Amino acid sequence: MAAPALAGRCGGLRRALLRAPLLPLPLRRRAHQQPRRARGAGGLLAAQCERGLFQEVFPEQSAEEQLPGLLEPGRPPLAAYCGFDPSADSLHVGHLLPLMALLHFQRAGHDVIAVVGGATARLGDPSGRERAREPPPAERVRAHARGLRGGLERLFRNHRELFWGGEGGGRLGRALLLDNASWLGRQPLLEFLGGAGGRLRMGTLLSRQSCQARLRSAEGMSLAEFLYPALQAYDFLHLHQHHGCRVQVGGADQMGNIMSGYELVTKMTGTDVFGITVPLITSTTGDKLGKTAGNAVWLNRDKTSPFELYQFFVRQQDNVVEKYLKLFTFLPLEEIDHVMEMHAREPEKWGPQKRLAAEVTKLVHGREGLESAKRCTKALYYSNLEALEAMSDEELQELFRQAPSAELMLEPGMSILDLCRKANAIPDGPSGYQKITNGGVSINGIRVTNPETVLILGQHILKNGVSLLRIGKKNYYIIKWLQL
């Protein structure tokens, strides 16, 4: 997979922090040019702007005037929410930055709400799409929503147990998981149109970039897609009325939907609410990472193993790894500076990449998932026999998803040649024999060149009753020995 890059910039929010009258003058100076010891000062907005996580705020003027003060430490907690579309049964790496934004709100003592779009998924968000999505069956949407809720619960739990230490004696905000099917599914159509529908302006909705692009396309735009921003706006209204929510977080491509929510809430309640966007993570070709683009790196183990997730991040290039450490981890900026300084001295160790991969894998899969990723890495890339012996059947299957497996009985005098033929790993006849003598076969990471070598327990057959046979550079076979 092509390495991802950052889309977007930290623009309006940084300008807001520099000019915000509620920030004391020393903080405004530090937001522009901070000494290292003052980094992270000034509360949530200043800290996340410096990390590059909070990209833009809406509406800009009232956000400049009010948000820094509302989010100051010691003030009553706010509630912020982010929606997650269950178009698949798993979260993916593209969801991580909005989720990190919620976690940073929570770490600052604010309450957060993760909303699974079990109702809006039936329509499909037109943002960034060239054509309409086929309406999914209701049962599939419910199954996907269950999968997303399980993934979100796991991530919030891992953060609470592994990354939260009561920093500075602060409060970890509450985390609430909801499904908008629980309120949109009970909302009568005429009541919705006569209430929320009467407050949203057609001209504003039609002016959205996503709407304009679809209206100009050959396929056009369905009424269901056109109403999607109105339903998402109603989510914001519902959460504001029932949970006091005043901030919506979303990817940079969600600004149009956030604006609709702001318009509806302010018109119907008179309360100032706000939107914050986070950058999009894209591939080097500019495609947004996700299911639609076909390049998703999933956060559920049955789709992307901890090893695969770890390798995705450990392969990031030097030109993005510092940004990713700021975006995807909770490491203090001073520690990130130190990691990058050590990398400049010893680039061959890939220190920042390994730290990035470890932090993300631990957040997503927990401590055991990180250990699993490290075991698989040692076994595959360093031919570490201890790591290979410690691997479970699940890890072997994850590491070698496409590898055939065979169950064999160990017979007296069984040789390397016998093993390869019984596993159907080499052809019969002289060519298979020559494959071994030419050094094209290894067992448990050790190259073998004598086809007549008798298999030895502890060397060719590991203590866990497994042999890992490799033919050539990439063809693996998992051999499970019976009745040893």
Side-chain angles (χ1 to χ4, degrees):
M1 178 182 295
L6 277 176
R9 56 184 173 78
C10 182
L13 182 54
R14 183 176 296 279
R15 293 192 298 273
L17 288 170
L18 294 178
R19 299 197 300 267
L22 293 179
L23 288 177
L25 182 60
L27 175 58
R28 281 182 273 158
R29 288 174 180 158
R30 288 198 299 270
H32 178 68
Q33 187 175 10
Q34 290 188 326
R36 182 177 298 176
R37 64 180 179 276
R39 278 187 151 184
L44 177 64
L45 280 179
Q48 297 318 310
C49 179
E50 187 172 5
R51 295 183 82 98
L53 182 61
F54 290 175
Q55 179 173 293
E56 298 289 342
V57 293
F58 180 85
E60 185 174 359
Q61 182 174 348
S62 62
E64 290 180 21
E65 296 170 352
Q66 298 183 57
L67 258 185
L70 290 171
L71 295 174
E72 270 188 346
R75 293 290 299 270
L78 293 186
Y81 97 95
C82 181
F84 298 88
D85 181 20
S87 58
D89 61 357
S90 169
L91 299 166
H92 53 72
V93 165
H95 290 119
L96 270 179
L97 288 192
L99 185 62
M100 289 296 292
L102 289 185
L103 291 174
H104 279 292
F105 264 94
Q106 194 183 15
R107 292 167 71 86
H110 302 287
D111 299 327
V112 297
I113 307 170
V115 176
V116 176
T120 44
R122 300 285 302 276
L123 305 182
D125 187 354
S127 302
R129 292 180 176 273
E130 296 180 358
R131 57 181 59 88
R133 184 173 62 192
E134 284 295 319
E139 183 50 44
R140 185 193 303 167
V141 172
R142 286 192 288 269
H144 288 177
R146 287 193 297 271
L148 258 61
R149 286 197 299 272
L152 289 164
E153 288 171 356
R154 185 181 72 251
L155 283 155
F156 279 113
R157 181 176 63 251
N158 287 343
H159 168 259
R160 183 179 64 252
E161 295 176 356
L162 303 176
F163 291 90
W164 176 250
E167 282 76 353
R171 162 189 182 266
L172 183 68
R174 295 177 300 165
L176 185 63
L177 269 62
L178 301 175
D179 188 327
N180 65 11
S182 66
W183 57 85
L184 287 176
R186 299 195 303 263
Q187 179 67 36
L189 176 61
L190 290 178
E191 185 177 324
F192 169 77
L193 292 175
R199 301 302 181 99
L200 293 171
R201 301 295 91 188
M202 286 285 292
T204 304
L205 294 174
L206 287 168
S207 67
R208 301 280 188 257
Q209 184 177 356
S210 59
C211 186
Q212 287 288 318
R214 290 298 303 280
L215 289 173
R216 288 194 297 266
S217 69
E219 184 177 302
M221 187 179 199
S222 69
L223 176 62
E225 289 179 292
F226 178 74
L227 288 176
Y228 183 93
L231 292 176
Q232 186 168 312
Y234 188 83
D235 286 346
F236 201 170
L237 177 65
H238 176 89
L239 295 171
H240 175 71
Q241 292 175 330
H242 294 270
H243 301 280
C245 186
R246 293 187 65 183
V247 179
Q248 180 181 357
V249 174
D253 60 343
Q254 291 296 307
M255 181 55 87
N257 292 331
I258 290 173
M259 292 166 69
S260 296
Y262 162 83
E263 179 184 2
L264 182 60
V265 176
T266 53
K267 284 184 176 180
M268 294 197 71
T269 70
T271 306
D272 287 323
V273 294
F274 310 94
I276 297 178
T277 64
V278 299
L280 297 179
I281 302 300
T282 65
S283 69
T284 51
T285 60
D287 294 322
K288 175 182 171 183
L289 291 186
K291 172 178 173 287
T292 303
N295 57 7
V297 178
W298 302 100
L299 304 188
N300 277 14
R301 185 168 189 159
D302 58 350
K303 289 179 173 286
T304 299
S305 70
F307 166 76
E308 291 168 320
L309 180 70
Y310 183 91
Q311 290 300 317
F312 173 79
F313 281 100
V314 89
R315 290 171 183 161
Q316 297 310 314
Q317 299 301 309
D318 286 353
N319 63 338
V320 298
V321 69
E322 183 177 1
K323 292 179 181 178
Y324 280 18
L325 282 168
K326 294 176 181 178
L327 291 171
F328 288 106
T329 79
F330 303 105
L331 298 178
L333 295 179
E334 292 80 4
E335 187 172 349
I336 293 174
D337 285 343
H338 176 70
V339 170
M340 296 308 299
E341 288 168 4
M342 296 299 295
H343 182 55
R345 297 174 194 166
E346 300 174 308
E348 72 280 359
K349 291 187 176 181
W350 287 64
Q353 285 86 350
K354 291 178 180 178
R355 189 64 184 278
L356 170 67
E359 294 291 313
V360 175
T361 305
K362 186 166 71 168
L363 175 64
V364 174
H365 293 294
R367 190 176 282 114
E368 190 281 327
L370 175 58
E371 293 305 314
S372 173
K374 289 181 175 179
R375 279 194 299 272
C376 292
T377 299
K378 290 178 182 178
L380 184 62
Y381 294 122
Y382 300 97
S383 300
N384 186 295
L385 290 183
E386 290 183 1
L388 193 57
E389 285 182 327
M391 290 174 64
S392 65
D393 287 348
E394 180 184 29
E395 289 172 338
L396 285 168
Q397 293 298 328
E398 289 174 347
L399 185 57
F400 306 102
R401 288 188 188 274
Q402 307 303 320
S405 61
E407 295 183 342
L408 301 178
M409 296 284 292
L410 181 63
E411 301 169 359
M414 193 171 182
S415 68
I416 300 291
L417 181 63
D418 295 331
L419 165 61
C420 292
R421 286 179 173 168
K422 286 180 179 293
N424 295 316
I426 61 172
D428 292 331
S431 62
Y433 193 95
Q434 189 174 4
K435 185 77 172 178
I436 302 174
T437 59
N438 289 343
V441 174
S442 67
I443 300 179
N444 302 328
I446 301 172
R447 183 174 295 176
V448 292
T449 55
N450 182 359
E452 307 300 335
T453 298
V454 175
L455 298 176
I456 301 173
L457 286 169
Q459 178 180 342
H460 303 114
I461 302 173
L462 301 178
K463 295 176 183 178
N464 57 357
V466 169
S467 297
L468 183 63
L469 179 63
R470 188 181 74 187
I471 309 297
K473 292 183 177 181
K474 296 182 179 180
N475 297 314
Y476 287 90
Y477 297 80
I478 300 171
I479 311 301
K480 297 181 181 178
W481 297 97
L482 303 175
Q483 299 180 5
L484 286 177

